[in-house]
Amino acid sequence: APEQRSAPPAIASQSGVAGGRMTDTRRRVKVYTLNEDRQWDDRGTGHVSSCYVERLKGMSLLVRAESDGSLLLESKINPNTAYQKQQDTLIVWSEAENYDLALSFQEKAGCDEIWEKICQVQGKDPSVDITQDLVDESEEERFDDMSSPGLELPSCELSRLEEIAELVASSLPSPLRREKLALALENEGYIKKLLEIFHVCEDLENIEGLHHLYEIIKGIFLLNRTALFEVMFSEECIMDVIGCLEYDPSLSQSRKHREFLTKTAKFKEVIPISDPELKQKIHQTYRVQYIQDMVLPTPSVFEENMLSTLHSFIFFNKVEIVGMLQEDEKFLTDLFAQLTDEATDEEKRQELVNFLKEFCAFSQTLQPQNRDAFFKTLSNMGILPALEVILGMDDAQVRSAATDIFSYLVEYNPSMVREFVMQEAQQNDDDILLINLIIEHMICDTDPELGGAVLLMGLLRTLVDPENMLATANKTEKTEFLGFFYKHCMHVLTAPLLANTTEDKPSKDDFQTAQLLALILELLTFCVEHHTYHIKNYIINKDILRRVLVLMASKHAFLALCALRFKRKIIGLKDEFYNRYIMKSFLFEPVVKAFLNNGSRYNLMNSAIIEMFEFIRVEDIKSLTAHVIENYWKALEDVDYVQTFKGLKLRFEQQRERQDNPKLDSMRSILRNHRYRRDARTLEDEEEMWFNTDEDDMEDGEAVVPPSDKPKNDEDIMDPISKFMERKKLKESEEKEVLLKTNLSGRQSPSFKLSFSSGTKSNLTSQSSASNLPGSPGSPGSPGSPGSPGSVSKSTSQMAAITTK
């Protein structure tokens, strides 16, 4: 039934300007439909009219969109449909069995006009709030009620309270009787008479009468009628209504709700509110919320729906308060001026920040377009510079509230926050940048469980996530912001990590430090996955991975696993620059040590380390395979409960065999490259090599397929699909064997992917001995590895050699 569902959001007070032209705000409406989850969906804003529609053969409601004039709604006013008016600006009805519609008017006058049209078609008095009786009960009940058109209430006297309470209780199960009871209560001013009797009962200390009044008032709440709520929540009645609800018969002693609201709860006007209507609305909302949360007993499953209009009443009051405050420019200007004024004392500032936090929390109830306007207003008022000032203060409570406000802003519009911090970086030092203040609060969180730090880390992740960054024709937010972040902020984020990993094991290894470092590692792992050259340059230049792997020695398993996960993410990229860095610094050593120290225990550490080596084997990452076997085989050869390490050794031996016969391997590579091309640039390079290969190499009748005397211990057990996948992976890793890198600005230059046959004479292919594996430490074939950046002259000479050939 329409009165048993929560009403849709209303239009907050807006100016009548839309699309640059003045519009008639009286007939301005939003159209809502109720979805399957019983939530109201906004179908658009337009202007409503009523006229005769020939096609529908009757008077109809039409709504045309204010943006383009398209038809948002065309609904015939059916003589039997129950239309309901709620809160002076809402008309709700059911079009079909499960299709509920609502019109939310900007102005009461427009709602009244359309309501009169509907009542005119149905032959009803416009003073009613619902045009039809709701036929939900059995035929028998309906027949009984048809004989008495209205409900006769007993006269409002002290002696008849029990009779009134029984009448209210008996009416609640039947929608039709509830409707009649509500109309009778409205028309006779009955609630005010009941509240007069309440005063008499209190004066006489008539507990029985007070218990009856409790039941009556609770029953009136369950009637779920806006018109009754407006009477009950009026300034003159609300405290008496709360008084009636103090005398719950199920409690041995009455509650002191009125005493709390008048003496304990203090209304703090942080900035004087000049509008009396706004002030009254704030008081009313607080009291009604108090009734809902503290006074009314927790509703049963059956009563939950009956209080939907109470929820709506509070919701719309909040929307109205936000709208009225938002339009009061003097109020907001004073608020931000006092927030940032150094002369403001701490207690006052705390009240101001708490008010702003509550203001932002209220805004979450707004429709998306109204929320846009709300945050735009706050942004224009300078909320971000104000937060920066507040976060730099000593008061922990103020900073905590400011952090909550910051989270609302980041969740709403991360781009707005990013734009602000990049602009302020041009005037301010790194120490007082907003993001660095946030990072510092995260690092200095005193909570043993780091609740605040977890929240702040989530906000940082949102800010550095490329998925929500904008790209326009003239600039890319990702490039600009990440450049800024790595230059001005990353050193602040990694400071605790670097400070704690100067030795072979963490210098501080208490639980709180371990938790903080795990959070930082989580964000760095996210950066490895989503940022490209920025994080790569940072890790290699600052030797970050070596420092992270010191944490493998932590007594906290979760932190050691975080460090391992960070390395696993890097290896998962299969990037030769990372691989060379790992090999040059012998960064498998801490992992192998942790593996051996873990012994034969079958736990997460054991599984995670084995999975990392298994990945290297399955993906056939040649450089890392050779490095692991050459340096750590003796430590790992006895591990036989998995075949991972023996498989790695087998890969290594096959690799050496191919190196011993490079002519065959090169031919095989060329043929395979032509079968599995990936992109145009690779194709051009490969065609160049094909045509430049000496004809003598092709005339010797070389086998163009792998020779049959290849070791069979691995091949024999592979099915044809596995062989195909093996060859495909082999080809992909071979493409990376020679990478030329010109290290001019710290960024990776476009790499040339080359393979040479044994007949090709080049200064790049002196890789025949087993000690000089591709990419291994000391290998001449890794010009771009850290410690030996290729110079311009060297790169130029290499290019010249290729061109000449």
Side-chain angles (χ1 to χ4, degrees):
E3 84 276 14
Q4 289 187 15
R5 58 180 171 250
S6 59
I11 297 185
S13 51
Q14 302 166 351
S15 67
V17 181
R21 59 190 175 82
M22 291 299 291
T23 59
D24 177 11
T25 58
R26 198 176 75 253
R27 291 288 187 91
R28 189 162 182 261
V29 294
K30 276 188 181 301
V31 180
Y32 290 94
T33 56
L34 200 66
N35 62 27
E36 290 176 1
D37 299 325
R38 309 299 290 165
Q39 299 294 319
W40 289 102
D41 290 335
D42 184 351
R43 295 298 181 194
T45 304
H47 291 85
V48 65
S49 60
S50 61
C51 60
Y52 185 84
V53 176
E54 184 63 39
R55 184 174 62 79
L56 300 175
K57 297 281 187 278
M59 287 296 287
S60 304
L61 298 176
L62 305 178
V63 180
R64 294 199 176 274
E66 68 180 2
S67 54
D68 55 8
S70 60
L71 202 60
L72 294 177
L73 175 73
E74 185 179 63
S75 170
K76 182 182 175 183
I77 302 172
N78 194 311
N80 300 318
T81 298
Y83 290 85
Q84 185 178 0
K85 186 164 75 158
Q86 296 180 8
Q87 300 199 19
D88 292 335
T89 56
L90 285 169
I91 297 177
V92 185
W93 73 98
S94 295
E95 191 91 318
E97 193 165 327
N98 286 315
Y99 187 65
D100 292 3
L101 286 158
L103 293 179
S104 174
F105 290 77
Q106 182 163 332
E107 293 186 12
K108 179 180 183 297
C111 183
D112 290 343
E113 276 183 39
I114 294 299
W115 185 249
E116 282 179 24
K117 294 282 184 189
I118 293 169
C119 292
Q120 195 180 333
V121 171
Q122 295 201 344
K124 301 288 178 182
D125 183 344
S127 64
V128 300
D129 275 351
I130 187 160
T131 61
Q132 299 289 328
D133 289 338
L134 298 167
V135 189
D136 277 0
E137 59 266 83
S138 67
E139 289 291 325
E140 190 179 338
E141 277 184 300
R142 201 160 72 244
F143 180 76
D144 289 345
D145 279 314
M146 282 170 73
S147 57
S148 57
L151 193 71
E152 284 291 325
L153 287 169
S155 59
C156 197
E157 296 168 12
L158 180 57
S159 59
R160 305 192 70 176
L161 283 177
E162 186 175 359
E163 189 184 337
I164 298 167
E166 284 175 4
L167 175 67
V168 171
S170 65
S171 298
L172 287 174
S174 157
L176 191 61
R177 287 177 65 78
R178 284 171 57 216
E179 181 65 28
K180 289 183 175 179
L181 174 61
L183 286 171
L185 288 168
E186 280 174 50
N187 296 337
E188 297 179 25
Y190 209 81
I191 292 173
K192 289 185 180 176
K193 294 176 188 172
L194 285 169
L195 297 177
E196 285 169 13
I197 295 179
F198 166 70
H199 285 291
V200 173
C201 286
E202 271 207 318
D203 292 341
L204 298 173
E205 295 185 3
N206 182 342
I207 299 301
E208 189 184 352
L210 291 169
H211 285 171
H212 289 317
L213 279 166
Y214 171 90
E215 296 293 353
I216 293 166
I217 295 294
K218 181 191 166 193
I220 293 174
F221 267 97
L222 296 175
L223 290 175
N224 207 28
R225 293 282 291 204
T226 308
L228 296 177
F229 287 156
E230 282 170 357
V231 175
M232 293 163 79
F233 300 152
S234 64
E235 190 74 27
E236 57 180 314
C237 295
I238 189 164
M239 294 308 281
D240 290 340
V241 168
I242 293 170
C244 291
L245 292 169
E246 287 180 357
Y247 295 95
D248 185 346
S250 63
L251 300 174
S252 57
Q253 201 172 358
S254 64
R255 296 288 177 86
K256 306 289 184 193
H257 295 303
R258 286 170 296 174
E259 189 178 313
F260 173 82
L261 287 170
T262 52
K263 294 179 182 172
T264 312
K266 298 293 181 192
F267 175 60
K268 291 182 179 175
E269 230 174 320
V270 288
I271 305 284
I273 295 172
S274 54
D275 185 349
E277 188 189 345
L278 172 59
K279 200 181 290 189
Q280 191 270 327
K281 188 73 71 178
I282 292 170
H283 282 297
Q284 185 190 54
T285 306
Y286 176 76
R287 288 165 179 169
V288 176
Q289 185 103 47
Y290 182 81
I291 290 172
Q292 184 191 37
D293 296 340
M294 304 300 296
V295 182
L296 284 177
T298 306
S300 68
V301 176
F302 303 106
E303 291 173 340
E304 183 70 56
N305 238 4
M306 292 180 173
L307 291 173
S308 59
T309 305
L310 181 63
H311 301 315
S312 297
F313 190 94
I314 295 167
F315 173 86
F316 287 116
N317 265 17
K318 287 182 176 180
V319 169
E320 216 170 315
I321 290 167
V322 171
M324 291 163 88
L325 284 172
Q326 194 179 322
E327 287 171 5
D328 191 339
E329 282 192 26
K330 183 180 183 309
F331 179 87
L332 289 178
T333 308
D334 290 350
L335 173 70
F336 283 104
Q338 289 192 35
L339 262 177
T340 52
D341 187 354
E342 289 179 12
T344 307
D345 64 74
E346 283 190 14
E347 191 179 343
K348 175 74 170 173
R349 197 187 313 278
Q350 193 173 327
E351 288 174 3
L352 290 164
V353 174
N354 284 335
F355 167 79
L356 191 55
K357 175 184 165 183
E358 198 172 348
F359 193 32
C360 289
F362 269 32
S363 75
Q364 300 306 295
T365 60
L366 297 175
Q367 286 284 306
Q369 58 271 39
N370 295 347
R371 207 178 312 155
D372 284 353
F374 172 80
F375 280 112
K376 212 165 274 179
T377 303
L378 289 189
S379 177
N380 295 340
M381 288 285 172
I383 190 168
L384 284 165
L387 282 180
E388 196 167 52
V389 172
I390 299 163
L391 285 166
M393 292 177 179
D394 297 332
D395 191 325
Q397 280 186 306
V398 168
R399 289 204 312 265
S400 172
T403 303
D404 290 337
I405 297 166
F406 183 70
S407 71
Y408 284 122
L409 294 170
V410 172
E411 284 164 18
Y412 165 69
N413 189 348
S415 289
M416 177 177 80
V417 178
R418 285 192 282 258
E419 190 177 346
F420 169 75
V421 294
M422 284 193 287
Q423 283 174 354
E424 64 160 354
Q426 295 163 11
Q427 293 103 25
N428 297 341
D429 297 334
D430 284 2
D431 295 346
I432 57 169
L433 293 182
L434 180 58
I435 290 196
N436 286 347
L437 288 171
I438 292 293
I439 294 172
E440 281 167 27
H441 290 321
M442 185 193 82
I443 291 167
C444 301
D445 187 6
T446 53
D447 175 11
E449 296 296 325
L450 292 189
V454 172
L455 168 70
L456 293 172
M457 186 58 79
L459 298 178
L460 278 177
R461 177 183 283 216
T462 304
L463 287 173
V464 300
D465 187 354
E467 293 294 316
N468 63 42
M469 293 186 186
L470 306 171
T472 56
N474 55 349
K475 66 169 185 176
T476 307
E477 192 179 14
K478 179 180 174 182
T479 309
E480 285 190 5
F481 182 74
L482 291 184
F484 157 83
F485 184 78
Y486 280 87
K487 183 178 178 184
H488 297 282
C489 310
M490 191 53 117
H491 66 278
V492 184
L493 179 68
T494 54
L497 173 69
L498 297 175
N500 211 31
T501 53
T502 50
E503 308 296 329
D504 290 341
K505 59 182 184 178
S507 48
K508 278 180 73 182
D509 204 20
D510 58 282
F511 179 70
Q512 193 164 351
T513 305
Q515 268 199 311
L516 176 64
L517 295 181
L519 272 179
I520 293 170
L521 275 179
E522 195 180 317
L523 187 62
L524 288 176
T525 307
F526 177 83
C527 294
V528 166
E529 187 175 2
H530 292 91
H531 305 165
T532 48
Y533 58 87
H534 290 99
I535 188 73
K536 189 193 299 183
N537 287 343
Y538 191 80
I539 288 172
I540 292 174
N541 292 338
K542 302 284 184 187
D543 200 14
I544 295 292
L545 180 56
R546 186 176 65 77
R547 304 293 282 273
V548 166
L549 290 174
V550 169
L551 302 176
M552 293 287 292
S554 169
K555 67 183 179 189
H556 299 286
F558 70 88
L559 181 58
L561 285 164
C562 274
L564 184 65
R565 187 158 61 243
F566 179 69
K567 180 172 182 178
R568 172 65 178 79
K569 189 66 75 176
I570 288 173
I571 289 175
L573 296 174
K574 298 192 284 187
D575 184 314
E576 278 303 311
F577 289 103
Y578 275 133
N579 292 349
R580 286 176 192 153
Y581 161 59
I582 289 169
M583 293 183 299
K584 186 181 179 200
S585 302
F586 290 90
L587 295 182
F588 275 102
E589 193 167 313
V591 177
V592 174
K593 265 187 191 171
F595 182 67
L596 297 175
N597 289 341
N598 190 60
S600 58
R601 279 177 293 178
Y602 179 44
N603 55 15
L604 194 53
M605 180 64 75
N606 174 276
S607 300
I609 293 174
I610 289 174
E611 190 278 334
M612 179 189 286
F613 287 112
E614 183 68 13
F615 177 81
I616 294 168
R617 185 192 74 78
V618 170
E619 295 296 323
D620 196 12
I621 305 174
K622 292 183 172 52
S623 53
L624 295 184
T625 302
H627 176 74
V628 169
I629 297 302
E630 284 182 340
N631 294 286
Y632 309 106
W633 172 243
K634 285 190 176 172
L636 300 170
E637 66 179 331
D638 293 335
V639 180
D640 55 5
Y641 53 86
V642 288
Q643 296 304 304
T644 297
F645 300 108
K646 287 184 169 51
L648 267 178
K649 183 79 160 46
L650 184 61
R651 285 265 194 233
F652 173 67
E653 287 167 354
Q654 290 171 343
Q655 198 171 309
R656 288 183 66 170
E657 185 183 305
R658 284 198 297 272
Q659 281 190 324
D660 290 342
N661 196 353
K663 186 187 282 190
L664 285 175
D665 188 52
S666 179
M667 266 321 278
R668 198 179 308 145
S669 172
I670 289 169
L671 283 174
R672 195 159 42 242
N673 283 347
H674 277 270
R675 284 184 64 188
Y676 308 120
R677 292 192 197 100
R678 284 191 303 177
D679 59 44
R681 189 179 61 205
T682 313
L683 177 62
E684 288 168 9
D685 291 341
E686 289 163 359
E687 285 180 348
E688 187 77 22
M689 289 185 295
W690 180 271
F691 288 113
N692 287 342
T693 306
D694 288 350
E695 288 183 14
D696 295 344
D697 294 343
M698 301 294 291
E699 289 171 359
D700 295 340
E702 286 177 4
V704 292
V705 292
S708 58
D709 59 347
K710 197 175 176 199
K712 291 187 179 168
N713 48 2
D714 188 36
E715 292 278 338
D716 288 347
I717 59 169
M718 289 172 65
D719 60 26
I721 294 174
S722 300
K723 288 183 184 177
F724 167 77
M725 293 306 292
E726 201 66 32
R727 289 199 299 271
K728 190 170 190 301
K729 286 170 188 161
L730 180 64
K731 173 259 170 185
E732 287 177 358
S733 58
E734 282 171 350
E735 284 182 345
K736 295 180 182 173
E737 276 186 13
V738 183
L739 291 161
L740 303 183
K741 177 189 176 197
T742 307
N743 196 359
L744 296 173
S745 61
R747 297 188 182 187
Q748 178 185 346
S749 63
S751 54
F752 297 86
K753 299 175 184 177
L754 304 169
S755 286
F756 294 90
S757 70
S758 59
T760 309
K761 307 295 184 288
S762 166
N763 61 346
L764 294 182
T765 53
S766 54
Q767 303 182 14
S768 57
S769 69
S771 62
N772 282 335
L773 289 159
S776 63
S779 162
S782 52
S785 62
S788 58
S791 66
V792 180
S793 58
K794 183 175 176 185
S795 302
T796 312
S797 66
Q798 289 170 345
M799 284 299 294
I802 295 165
T803 312
T804 309
K805 182 61 188 164

